[in-house]
Amino acid sequence: MTSLNSEPIGVTVLGSTGSVGVSTLDVIARHPQRYRVHAITAHSNAELLAEQCLRFKPKFAVLSGDGDWKTLRNQLATQASEGKPITQVLVGVEGLNQVSVDADAPIVMAAIVGAAGLLPTLAAVREGKKVLLANKESLVMTGSLMMGEMRKNKAQLIPIDSEHNAIFQCLPHDFLDSESSLQAKGIRKLLLTGSGGPFRTVPTEALKDKTPDEACNHPNWDMGRKISVDSATMMNKGLEFIEACWMFDVTPDQVQVVIHPQSIIHSMVEYVDGSIIAQMGNPDMRIPIAYGLSWPERIESGVDYLDLIQTARFDFEAPDYDRFPCLQLAKGAMKENGTAPAVLNAANEVAVQAFLDCRIRFTDIHTVIDEVLNKTIRSGDIKNIDQLETVINADQVARVYADEVVTKY
Ligand code: NAD
Ligand code: MG
């Protein structure tokens, strides 16, 4: 797929103006013989989208939300080829879907944040594409449905989340092609590492006063605000726990969360003979993005090479479930199965947004999620995922209830 003698492969970057999107364009720009940007999308940042269009000359640019598309269209009209603008501007969710299924882009980077990424990601999977999955929320919500669509349509779902990408790198090379279980391949468990976020050592009683800016100040990673808050509550590790179960077809007891504050080991795989294989590197998303783009080959990512002498030491500790109840809530939702992870995800998105808007405190995030999840379970409203509508309905009902809970604070 990435032979140097062929034409550059078209790549669609969903969420190109975000942290992962910008890193993806950075890697692509280093390999113009291999990749060309076919389409890019943003929700509201029309200015950055216009800059990216002028630089990468994609065929399509999508503004899915409330950005100023008229100015964008006028700006792009100045960059014309034979009297026609190089980049066509599309709008709304329809635009997102159109570029997700476009046959001229065999690779789709799914880097929209949150449940909004579900439909375009699933559309690309259903089209049998190579989908680079950064948008963990879509897999958390749909689980077996997304994996089933991947197999049915012979799509390749390559994990971009650094932990899952690390596990993917540590697994046997035929992982994607082989049907046999991880156990049959001699794998005992997956070790999912996490830094513990910015509040790992903050006294528990001080957590309630933490501000959005403090929560978004991650010690090792530079990310969007939603995932940064998820890292501070450790819901991010909870979502990743669920993501790992689905992505690698393992049970919850085959995934162990290990806190590793340096974020140099990005996750590990333990084999039955007692070997543990780890993937290491500087914490920069361009490494998993480059691997996802070029897999099974490897290309330069632009990331500095790791200096192990300077790194000097690796620490490991157990997660603190009292300090980070979100991790336990996510594990509980995965055990509950069905639409429970979608309910957890929806409640989390509402609670995180309320925290970022200073409507609730940091420590209210987990109580909102707990209340929504418990009420849904108690009223027997967790459903088996038989079709997409079941997930979308569970997501919407949970959001309405989470909004109600938030207004009580
Ligand atoms: P971000 O907030 O920086 O960017 C989000 C992107 O999604 C932007 O381009 C934005 O325009 C677009 N977007 C936002 N709301 C939208 C909506 N309603 N409809 C359509 N598009 C919308 O987020 P990010 O940090 O780049 O994270 C993107 C995804 O990747 C998330 O699912 C996150 O969990 C995952 N991820 C991120 C990192 C990281 O280092 N940032 C690491 C691992 C996984
Ligand atoms: Mg991660």
Side-chain angles (χ1 to χ4, degrees):
M1 200 179 203
T2 48
S3 160
L4 278 178
N5 300 324
S6 51
E7 288 284 297
I9 301 169
V11 184
T12 285
V13 184
L14 302 171
S16 65
T17 53
S19 161
V20 172
V22 167
S23 293
T24 304
L25 292 179
D26 182 279
V27 176
I28 291 176
R30 292 166 195 276
H31 302 280
Q33 275 87 23
R34 281 179 180 261
Y35 309 109
R36 74 183 159 78
V37 179
H38 180 68
I40 53 181
T41 85
H43 198 57
S44 48
N45 192 346
E47 223 169 283
L48 180 53
L49 192 66
E51 255 175 57
Q52 292 179 337
C53 287
L54 296 176
R55 177 162 178 217
F56 290 96
K57 303 182 173 43
K59 189 149 181 235
F60 298 105
V62 183
L63 204 48
S64 54
D66 53 3
D68 179 1
W69 63 268
K70 282 188 187 147
T71 309
L72 174 68
R73 200 169 274 178
N74 290 342
Q75 260 175 299
L76 297 184
T78 61
Q79 188 196 45
S81 157
E82 294 166 9
K84 277 182 24 202
I86 293 173
T87 303
Q88 196 183 329
V89 177
L90 307 174
V91 291
V93 176
E94 302 74 30
L96 283 181
N97 267 322
Q98 183 179 327
V99 297
S100 302
V101 300
D102 190 333
D104 285 345
I107 302 180
V108 173
M109 162 57 82
I112 289 174
V113 62
L118 171 58
L119 294 182
T121 304
L122 195 58
V125 167
R126 284 177 167 159
E127 217 48 41
K129 289 183 188 289
K130 174 171 167 178
V131 178
L132 312 186
L133 187 76
N135 176 245
K136 66 191 87 185
E137 295 91 344
S138 56
L139 185 55
V140 166
M141 292 171 74
T142 54
S144 56
L145 188 130
M146 174 88 79
M147 298 309 287
E149 291 290 335
M150 179 198 82
R151 280 187 284 272
K152 191 168 101 191
N153 297 292
K154 300 196 170 19
Q156 289 172 335
L157 200 57
I158 313 272
I160 297 301
D161 214 347
S162 57
E163 295 77 2
H164 306 71
N165 190 274
I167 290 168
F168 184 55
Q169 295 195 40
C170 298
L171 286 172
H173 289 302
D174 65 348
F175 166 71
L176 276 191
D177 304 324
S178 152
E179 293 276 303
S180 60
S181 68
L182 289 196
Q183 243 161 335
K185 289 181 166 55
I187 288 153
R188 190 165 167 269
K189 69 179 176 202
L190 308 180
L191 298 159
L192 189 69
T193 57
S195 66
F199 302 152
R200 183 176 62 90
T201 55
V202 167
T204 315
E205 58 281 7
L207 288 176
K208 65 179 186 332
D209 299 319
K210 291 291 165 195
T211 65
D213 283 347
E214 286 172 306
C216 290
N217 188 18
H218 196 282
N220 307 331
W221 294 95
D222 183 10
M223 309 180 284
R225 281 173 84 78
K226 190 266 178 181
I227 184 177
S228 295
V229 176
D230 285 348
S231 299
T233 60
M234 284 204 72
M235 179 54 93
N236 185 47
K237 214 46 59 187
L239 297 175
E240 291 181 355
F241 181 90
I242 299 171
E243 183 186 12
C245 291
W246 291 122
M247 177 70 75
F248 303 113
D249 195 17
V250 290
T251 55
D253 56 355
Q254 290 173 302
V255 183
Q256 182 185 348
V257 175
V258 178
I259 302 301
H260 163 52
Q262 290 88 358
S263 297
I264 295 296
I265 293 178
H266 298 300
S267 278
M268 302 172 256
V269 174
E270 185 182 65
Y271 287 83
V272 285
D273 61 2
S275 299
I276 291 182
I277 301 187
Q279 185 264 346
M280 296 184 238
N282 279 318
D284 187 318
M285 287 303 289
R286 288 176 298 172
I287 294 178
I289 291 166
Y291 190 67
L293 280 168
S294 64
W295 174 86
E297 296 172 25
R298 288 191 187 258
I299 56 172
E300 283 177 22
S301 65
V303 178
D304 287 344
Y305 293 105
L306 176 64
D307 183 338
L308 277 174
I309 306 291
Q310 189 135 25
T311 305
R313 58 178 290 170
F314 291 158
D315 293 304
F316 302 103
E317 54 192 63
D320 180 344
Y321 289 98
D322 292 332
R323 179 193 293 264
F324 299 114
C326 285
L327 186 51
Q328 198 61 48
L329 287 172
K331 284 185 157 189
M334 184 62 210
K335 289 213 172 101
E336 196 70 36
N337 211 332
T339 50
V343 172
L344 170 100
N345 179 69
N348 181 54
E349 286 190 26
V350 171
V352 168
Q353 193 55 54
F355 168 67
L356 285 172
D357 297 342
C358 300
R359 285 182 282 133
I360 61 173
R361 292 175 307 181
F362 181 75
T363 42
D364 296 332
I365 296 175
H366 72 84
T367 55
V368 171
I369 302 165
D370 195 13
E371 191 169 336
V372 174
L373 196 57
N374 265 320
K375 183 192 163 202
T376 316
I377 294 171
R378 273 198 317 272
S379 37
D381 282 345
I382 301 296
K383 305 271 184 326
N384 285 331
I385 299 180
D386 46 355
Q387 51 180 338
L388 185 59
E389 284 64 34
T390 311
V391 180
I392 291 173
N393 186 47
D395 171 85
Q396 283 169 355
V397 172
R399 273 168 206 274
V400 171
Y401 186 50
D403 273 328
E404 277 172 30
V405 176
V406 162
T407 54
K408 286 195 301 196
Y409 284 90

